[in-house]
Each structure stands twice: as C-alpha cells, then as structure tokens.
C-alpha cells in the first residue's frame, strides 16, 4: 500500500518543498476544466430540462461539481494540496464575495422608494441612466441592489418586463462601473497595483458614454414599442389605498450603504498584515475587519429597518441563498481554470495568451480587449484582469502612459464584457434571482446570451473599430 501511495504523494511532497502546495497550472491539461464546464452547463440546461429537480437540488449539484475537481485533485496531488486549494478559494475569495453580496443585499433591500412610480419608457430609461451613473461610485453590486426593486415595482403592471431587467444588467450591473476603482473589482485591483484613482474616469469616460448612450437609446426604442403594443397600460387603481407621496423609506440604510463602500475601500488601502493563518492560507487583518464590519452593517440594517418596509419591498432571502449555493460550486470548480490562466504562456491556454502580442513584442490591443472580456464573461473577472495586466508588463506607471491604450483595453474588456453572461459579474445572477423571485420569467443561461450576443457583441465590435485598431 505504501509503495502504491508513493507516486500519488510525490507531487505533493515536491510542492510542499517549494513552500506552496498549489496545483501546478503549467502542468494541467484542459481535462481539469471539465467540472467547471459541467457546472456552467448545469446552470444553463437543467432549469429548462429538469426544472423541478433543479429547483430542489441545485445546491447539491453545485457541491457535486465542486467535488468533481477536489476529489481528483486529492488523488493526483495529495490531501495537502487539495485542502490548501479548498481553503484558499473559500477563505480568500468565496467568503468575502458572499459577505459583501449579503451585506449589500440586506442593506439595499431595506431602502424602499415610496409613491407611485409608473414604468413608462421615459421613467424606465431614467432609472437605468441613474443606475449607470451610480454604479461607478457605489459599485455595480450596490447600485444594482438599490435600484432593481424600484424598477420591478414600477413595471409590475407591464406585460413585457424581461427586456428591462436584461438592459439593467447590461448597464447598471456592469458597464456603469467602469469609471472608478469603486465600480468593479478588476479596477479596484488595478488601483491596488498603482493605477491612479481617476485614471479610468478620464480614459474610459468617452468609451463608457458612447456604449451607455447607445444602449439607453436602444432600450428606449424597444420599451416604447412594447409599451405601445401593450396598449400603454397604467397600474390598476385601488380606491381603498392611501395616496403615498414620492420619497424614501428606510433611508438610514443609505448611511449603511456608504459604510459598506468605505469599508471595502479602506481594506484596499490599509495593510495590517496576516492575523490568522489556516493551513498556510493567510487571512489579513484588514480583510477580516472589513468582513466583520460588513456583517455588522447588515445586522444594523436588519435591526433599524421595519419588517413592513421589507415586505412592501418584496424582500426575501431566496435570491442570496441561491447565489451562495451556486457560486460555491462555481468557485471550487473554476480553480484549475484560473490556475491554467495564471500559468500564462506555460499553460494549456498559451495559444490564447500569445495572441495579445505581435512576434516583435508589440501589444495587440484589440485582442487584449476581446480576450480579457471573453474570459471575464465566464471566469472571475478580477483574476482575469490581473493575468492580462501582468502579461502587458505589470508596471502601472508604464501602462498608464506609454501603453495607455492597452490598459484601457484590459480595463474595458474586464468590466464591459462581464455583462455577456449571468456569471460574468457578481450582481448579474443576483439581479436575475430577485427578478424571478418577483415573478419575472427571466431567460435561461443561453437565452440571456442570445440577448448579449445580439446587442452587446456588435457594440463591442464597434468600440474595437473606433478605439482599439
């Protein structure tokens, strides 16, 4: 038995000797990405093919595909490596991700827009425009969680509502977050790497404006046509209901929302060193304090917001539960995909990485834009941004000056193309879950991609022609 186990333990021993028991991304074949692909296919196909089974067992399915990576990892690279990879992704990525979403979901769910807001094309376009502007200053997740419920309530009487949520994901949950490091995690990582806070504001402003304006105009045309087809409906009048003036209920949550933004920003600007180490995985003090602060803010929001306000807001825990379960499987199963990507030209995706440069070493900005975006559509866009940031040299000062167009392409690809799929950016799936929880029959995974491919991809092609060629 010992002789049979030695070949399995040898890779672990070699990695442990190097000080990092991680899976070697440069040695992984594409076979290791199969669990992640199956996880995505499960999300795409099973709600349509086996809706009853999926509804009751999607959490178990997510865990299964996570184990479909961990078990082979344990067999091939040993228990130490498998345990380290599990703890690394859970402690440093998954838990902070869910804590932030939970805090934003709880706090934003306590803000209710009072009064009668009727979902006409003008009102809907205005809500999308406001959300697009807010996204860069309070984060795409914060803006999305704050405005999705008012949008759904304003359109509750409408027959056609799917297009409003789809364009909301395009603009508020993704494209609007391109102007500051507060907007989207990839830009925040760039800020930590030395990119100036307002660099993206000045360099991506016109690109974002063009894209957002085109989408808002297109949405207004589509919404106007559908509104007319519906007979220009108005909400049913309830003579027994008291007239309510337009205003905000639960406005104390806006302070808690600012607290969340401040806690996230501070955690990136202060380094308190490692406070806890779990099996070699360092948990830094500023990140631990941030997560504790976020949970406290969520608790304060729950305490100081009336149950009536949340009920009238259509608040329930189902969307955050669904996201937590599904992304547990997504985060675990995508470990080898991220490892291969980080291996750069030494990994199984080397042919893709080599496409961003000419033989003489000059950057191909169009490929930086499309490859960063395409991979960000399915993988976590933050590490994808870092991979191409480092591929382009990793020197923030050099990238901001001599290679400004390259950094623009990387930044725009990571943020804009997060809208291509439900899992491209954190709030996408959350918005979908909230909409379905309130009765909107959202497109399937592939159905949503038909919207994004039909609308966004041509616009991205136009941006490429205008700015990156």
């Amino acid at each position: 038995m010992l002789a049979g186990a030695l070949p399995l333990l040898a890779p672990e021993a070699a990695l442990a000797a190097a000080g990092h028991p991680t899976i070697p991304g440069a040695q992984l074949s594409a076979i290791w990405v199969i669990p992640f692909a199956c996880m995505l296919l499960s999300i795409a196909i099973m709600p349509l093919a086996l809706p009853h089974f999926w509804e009751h067992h999607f959490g178990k399915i997510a865990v299964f595909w996570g184990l479909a990576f961990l078990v082979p990892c344990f067999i091939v690279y040993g228990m130490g490596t498998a345990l380290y990879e599990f703890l690394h992704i859970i402690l440093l990525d998954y838990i902070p991700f869910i804590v932030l979403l939970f805090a934003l979901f709880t706090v934003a769910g306590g803000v209710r827009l009072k009064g009668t807001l009727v979902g006409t094309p003008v009102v809907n376009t205005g809500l999308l425009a406001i959300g697009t502007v807010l996204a860069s200053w309070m984060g795409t997740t914060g803006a999305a969680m704050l405005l999705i419920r008012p949008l759904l309530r304003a359109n509750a009487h409408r027959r056609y509502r799917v297009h409003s949520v789809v364009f909301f994901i395009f603009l508020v949950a993704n494209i609007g977050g391109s102007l500051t490091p507060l907007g989207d995690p990839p830009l925040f990582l760039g800020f930590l790497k030395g990119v100036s806070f307002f660099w993206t504001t000045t360099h991506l402003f016109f690109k974002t404006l063009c894209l957002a304006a085109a989408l808002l105009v297109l949405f207004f045309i589509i919404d106007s046509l559908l509104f007319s087809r519906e007979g220009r409906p108005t909400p049913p009048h309830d003579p027994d209901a008291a007239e309510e003036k337009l205003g905000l209920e639960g406005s104390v949550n806006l302070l808690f929302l600012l607290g969340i933004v401040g806690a996230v920003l501070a955690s990136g600007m202060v380094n308190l060193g490692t406070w806890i180490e779990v099996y070699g995985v360092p948990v830094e003090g500023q990140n631990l304090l941030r997560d504790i602060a976020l949970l406290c803010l969520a608790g304060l929001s729950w305490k100081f917001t009336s149950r009536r306000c949340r009920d009238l807001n259509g608040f329930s825990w189902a969307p955050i539960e669904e996201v937590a379960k599904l992304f547990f499987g997504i985060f675990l199963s995508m470990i080898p995909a991220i490892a291969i990507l980080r291996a750069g030209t030494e990994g199984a995706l080397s042919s893709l990485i080599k496409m961003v440069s000419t033989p003489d070493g000059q950057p191909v900005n169009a490929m930086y834009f499309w490859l960063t975006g395409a991979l960000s559509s399915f993988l976590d866009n933050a590490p994808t941004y870092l991979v191409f940031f480092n591929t382009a040299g990793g020197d923030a000062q050099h990238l901001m000056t001599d290679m400004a167009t390259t950094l623009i392409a990387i930044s725009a690809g990571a943020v804009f193309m997060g809208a291509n799929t439900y899992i491209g950016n954190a709030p996408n799936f959350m918005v979908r879950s909230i909409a379905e929880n309130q009765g909107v029959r959202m497109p399937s995974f592939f159905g949503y991609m038909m919207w994004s491919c039909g609308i966004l991809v041509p616009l991205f092609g136009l941006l490429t022609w205008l700015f990156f060629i």
Side-chain angles (χ1 to χ4, degrees):
M1 290 177 62
L2 180 60
L6 284 176
L8 298 179
L9 295 176
E12 179 187 3
L15 291 168
H20 299 284
T22 59
I23 56 174
Q27 300 175 21
L28 299 180
S29 68
I31 294 175
W32 286 90
V33 186
I34 290 177
F36 179 64
C38 291
M39 181 70 216
L40 297 186
L41 288 174
S42 297
I43 295 172
I45 296 173
M46 294 194 71
L48 297 175
L50 299 168
H52 184 74
F53 181 82
W54 175 257
E55 181 181 353
H56 291 86
H57 301 288
F58 64 84
K60 301 182 186 71
I61 295 170
V63 172
F64 173 81
W65 290 122
L67 292 175
F69 156 70
L70 280 178
V71 172
C73 180
F74 164 73
I75 294 173
V76 176
Y77 296 106
M79 178 179 176
T81 299
L83 181 60
Y84 178 85
E85 292 289 358
F86 173 80
L87 292 173
H88 190 277
I89 199 76
I90 295 299
L91 295 178
L92 301 189
D93 294 302
Y94 176 75
I95 290 178
F97 169 81
I98 291 299
V99 167
L100 176 59
L101 281 188
F102 172 79
L104 287 167
F105 179 79
T106 305
V107 171
V111 181
R112 185 175 78 90
L113 185 64
K114 298 189 296 182
T116 303
L117 196 64
V118 181
T120 63
V122 172
V123 170
N124 289 338
T125 305
L127 282 173
L128 293 184
I130 291 170
T132 303
V133 172
L134 288 178
S136 280
W137 304 100
M138 61 187 302
T140 52
T141 304
M145 293 303 98
L146 183 65
L147 291 176
I148 183 57
R149 290 182 179 88
L151 179 74
L152 292 172
R153 275 202 313 278
N155 290 274
H157 66 290
R158 295 276 303 269
R159 177 184 174 188
Y160 299 108
R161 295 179 287 171
V162 169
H163 67 289
S164 299
V165 182
V166 169
F167 274 84
F168 185 91
I169 294 174
F170 289 170
L171 287 160
V172 182
N174 290 277
I175 292 165
S178 61
L179 299 183
T180 75
L182 296 175
D184 219 21
L187 303 185
F188 189 66
L189 287 180
F191 173 65
L192 298 182
K193 290 290 185 179
V195 178
S196 301
F197 188 90
F198 290 106
W199 189 89
T200 50
T201 309
T202 56
H203 287 78
L204 266 73
F205 179 80
F206 188 64
K207 288 86 174 170
T208 303
L209 179 64
C210 291
L211 188 55
L215 287 170
L216 287 170
V217 169
L218 182 59
F219 170 79
F220 181 79
I221 294 171
I222 294 173
D223 200 37
S224 297
L225 292 173
L226 294 176
F227 189 63
S228 297
R229 180 180 294 181
E230 295 174 38
R232 307 181 70 83
T234 57
H237 179 66
D238 185 358
D240 298 326
E243 290 294 329
E244 193 177 42
K245 293 182 179 180
L246 195 63
L248 285 178
E249 184 178 2
S251 55
V252 67
N253 286 286
L254 296 178
L255 294 177
F256 299 145
L257 203 57
L258 288 176
I260 291 174
V261 173
V264 172
L265 185 60
S267 70
M269 301 177 68
V270 177
N271 187 358
L272 300 178
T274 300
W275 281 16
I276 302 173
E277 189 169 302
V278 183
Y279 198 73
V281 178
V283 179
E284 296 185 342
Q286 69 274 9
N287 296 330
L288 184 61
L289 290 178
R290 176 202 61 213
D291 292 346
I292 293 172
L294 295 179
L295 292 174
C296 290
L297 288 167
L300 290 171
S301 171
W302 185 257
K303 178 178 175 60
F304 287 103
T305 306
S306 68
R307 184 61 58 88
R308 173 184 172 277
C309 176
R310 292 190 183 275
D311 289 342
L312 291 174
N313 224 8
F315 182 89
S316 81
W317 295 111
I320 190 67
E321 290 177 6
E322 181 181 10
V323 169
K325 291 177 181 178
L326 289 179
F327 274 86
F328 181 81
I330 290 171
F331 270 73
L332 285 181
S333 59
M334 77 176 182
I335 290 174
I338 294 295
I340 291 172
L341 191 58
R342 283 176 173 157
T345 56
E346 302 299 320
L349 295 176
S350 60
S351 58
L352 291 179
I353 301 298
K354 291 176 181 177
M355 292 171 66
V356 299
S357 299
T358 61
D360 61 351
Q362 295 300 310
V364 182
N365 295 319
M367 293 308 301
Y368 267 110
F369 175 64
W370 281 97
L371 286 180
T372 304
L375 292 171
S376 293
S377 300
F378 296 95
L379 299 172
D380 190 340
N381 59 1
T384 302
Y385 171 93
L386 277 185
V387 165
F388 287 100
F389 183 91
N390 291 327
T391 301
D395 183 346
Q397 293 301 317
H398 180 57
L399 286 171
M400 286 190 293
T401 53
D402 300 331
M403 297 181 66
T405 304
T406 302
L407 184 55
I408 290 170
I410 295 169
S411 303
V415 178
F416 292 168
M417 294 199 196
N420 285 342
T421 73
Y422 279 136
I423 66 168
N425 199 20
N428 298 6
F429 211 97
M430 183 73 77
V431 168
R432 171 188 176 272
S433 297
I434 292 173
E436 289 193 330
N437 189 254
Q438 297 198 17
V440 180
R441 296 188 63 180
M442 291 296 293
S444 66
F445 188 88
F446 289 130
Y448 174 83
M449 286 187 65
M450 291 179 66
W451 281 85
S452 64
C453 290
I455 296 172
L456 293 179
V457 171
L459 290 176
F460 293 151
L462 181 60
L463 283 181
T464 304
W465 180 67
L466 290 174
F467 301 111
F468 301 127
I469 292 180

